[in-house]
């Protein structure tokens, strides 16, 4: 059961309005790694979790907290927009004069939300449910969660350095702390999944005997960088073999003859002609 009060989880009072920063803060609401993403990610992970008890409860506790984070940020955005123009037109997005009047704020915040936050990122791109990861495999999901919290904390840290408003900084200090502990909890939960025998190092821990045994412990050197094999992953008893001169295992990647009614440009003889011309030109280049 969700618990919600009329009080914010943490205070969200800027010292002064700042419409331009309000737009920046939208990234932490509706960006790919924003609070809307982790809220929905954890909710769906919890609803899809087949393991009752500590793992599901941890997911749902965190999901509910993230709802509160969205509320805090939305409140902060609204307060940063205090005093912003009450009237704006559809031309605001294209009119540089109006944009200057808006102080760099997202016109959607005036036109659509009436001076409040919108479910979008700092460029006004609407939040997308495709951002979330909820696979039903807790190892894969918890790894995605730790990565999401790391990216979210990174963006919060950047935004922390983009303001000198004491009130905003106080809230962001709280957000940084929560992103820290959430990273730690997911990493610990991954360890516990393995200790409980529910998952191993690889997700999913299935079909390991069925996969191609020749290619499950090699790294292919395919870039110009020479130092990939100098990491610990390529040394020691558990090393991954670094293939410095890997060979292609397949033939030409030519697409098959298309359906004539799809009108794709196609000529089986042109390929051969092109090859002949290419070889001839190459020979000329060598001579000159």
């Amino acid at each position: 059961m969700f618990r919600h009060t009329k009080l914010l989880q943490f205070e969200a009072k800027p010292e002064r309005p700042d419409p331009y920063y309000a737009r920046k803060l939208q990234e932490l609401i509706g960006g790919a790694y924003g609070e809307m993403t982790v809220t929905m990610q954890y909710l769906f992970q919890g609803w899809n979790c087949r393991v009752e008890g500590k793992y599901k409860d941890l997911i749902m506790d965190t999901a509910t907290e993230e709802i509160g984070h969205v509320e805090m940020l939305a409140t902060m955005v609204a307060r940063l927009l205090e005093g912003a123009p009450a009237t704006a037109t559809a031309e605001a997005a294209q009119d540089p004069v109006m944009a200057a009047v808006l102080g760099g704020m997202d016109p959607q915040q005036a036109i659509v939300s009436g001076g409040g936050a919108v479910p979008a990122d700092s460029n006004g791109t609407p939040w997308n449910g495709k951002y979330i990861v909820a696979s039903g495999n807790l190892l894969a999901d918890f790894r995605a969660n730790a990565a999401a919290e790391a990216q979210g904390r990174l963006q919060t840290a950047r935004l922390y350095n983009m303001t000198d408003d004491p009130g905003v900084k106080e809230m962001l200090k709280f957000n940084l702390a929560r992103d820290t502990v959430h990273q730690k909890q997911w990493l610990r939960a991954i360890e516990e999944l393995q200790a409980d025998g529910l998952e191993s190092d690889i997700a999913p821990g299935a079909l390991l005997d069925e996969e191609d045994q020749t290619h499950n412990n090699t790294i292919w050197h395919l870039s110009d960088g020479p130092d990939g094999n100098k990491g610990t992953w390529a040394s020691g008893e558990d090393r991954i073999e670094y293939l410095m001169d890997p060979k292609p295992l397949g033939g030409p990647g030519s697409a098959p003859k298309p359906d004539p009614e799809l009108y794709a440009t196609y000529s089986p003889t042109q390929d051969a002609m092109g090859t002949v011309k290419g070889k001839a030109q190459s020979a000329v280049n060598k001579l000159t």
Side-chain angles (χ1 to χ4, degrees):
M1 178 180 294
F2 297 125
R3 294 193 299 271
H4 179 70
T5 70
K6 294 182 179 180
L7 301 177
L8 295 174
Q9 187 181 11
F10 192 84
E11 192 55 84
K13 286 185 178 180
E15 186 174 274
R16 59 192 176 278
D18 186 344
Y20 185 47
Y21 192 80
R23 179 174 184 172
K24 294 179 181 179
L25 206 58
Q26 281 286 157
E27 193 66 34
L28 298 187
I29 296 177
Y33 300 105
E35 302 291 0
M36 287 184 64
T37 292
V38 288
T39 295
M40 298 307 296
Q41 181 155 307
Y42 301 161
L43 283 174
F44 276 91
Q45 286 179 7
W47 292 330
N48 292 341
C49 182
R50 268 67 170 183
V51 184
E52 296 294 334
K54 59 185 178 182
Y55 294 113
K56 184 167 186 172
D57 290 351
L58 175 66
I59 298 169
M60 296 306 291
D61 283 341
T62 313
T64 308
E65 177 182 348
E66 299 294 4
I67 297 174
H69 292 182
V70 177
E71 181 182 26
M72 285 164 45
L73 286 162
T75 301
M76 180 63 83
V77 165
R79 290 171 175 173
L80 286 167
L81 290 171
E82 182 181 1
T87 59
T89 65
E91 289 78 22
Q94 292 82 29
D95 184 355
V97 175
M98 179 60 75
V101 172
L102 290 171
M105 69 181 285
D106 183 350
Q108 293 279 303
Q109 292 171 333
I111 300 168
V112 176
S113 63
V118 292
D121 66 13
S122 53
N123 279 331
T125 304
W127 181 82
N128 194 322
K130 286 292 185 181
Y131 295 154
I132 75 167
V133 176
S135 70
N137 181 288
L138 293 184
L139 177 60
D141 284 354
F142 289 175
R143 285 176 173 165
N145 294 353
E149 294 287 352
Q151 293 290 343
R153 192 178 191 280
L154 176 61
Q155 293 179 357
T156 301
R158 289 169 174 167
L159 281 160
Y160 181 83
N161 290 324
M162 292 179 187
T163 181
D164 59 0
D165 188 299
V168 176
K169 279 186 172 290
E170 282 304 308
M171 186 196 72
L172 293 181
K173 287 179 183 178
F174 176 80
N175 288 8
L176 287 168
R178 299 312 297 166
D179 288 344
T180 294
V181 73
H182 290 163
Q183 287 187 58
K184 292 193 292 187
Q185 76 180 42
W186 297 126
L187 294 173
R188 291 287 296 275
I190 289 169
E191 294 176 358
E192 192 141 339
L193 281 172
Q194 296 171 323
D196 287 344
L198 295 176
E199 297 291 345
S200 60
D201 289 334
I202 304 300
L207 301 178
L208 296 176
D209 293 332
E210 299 291 328
E211 68 190 22
D212 190 327
Q213 302 299 306
T214 305
H215 302 291
N216 65 0
N217 200 50
T218 58
I219 299 174
W220 289 24
H221 172 60
L222 296 173
S223 72
D224 292 335
D227 297 331
N229 63 343
K230 295 180 181 178
T232 56
W233 50 82
S235 62
E237 293 184 4
D238 296 327
R239 69 181 179 275
I240 302 173
E241 182 183 2
Y242 223 99
L243 300 181
M244 297 305 294
D245 188 26
K247 304 300 182 185
L249 302 177
S254 302
K257 179 181 178 180
D259 183 331
E261 294 188 2
L262 294 179
Y263 310 111
T265 303
Y266 174 74
S267 172
T269 58
Q270 189 64 39
D271 291 339
M273 291 174 60
T275 302
V276 171
K277 289 180 179 178
K279 290 180 177 179
Q281 184 61 49
S282 177
V284 171
N285 292 341
K286 289 181 179 179
L287 291 175
T288 57

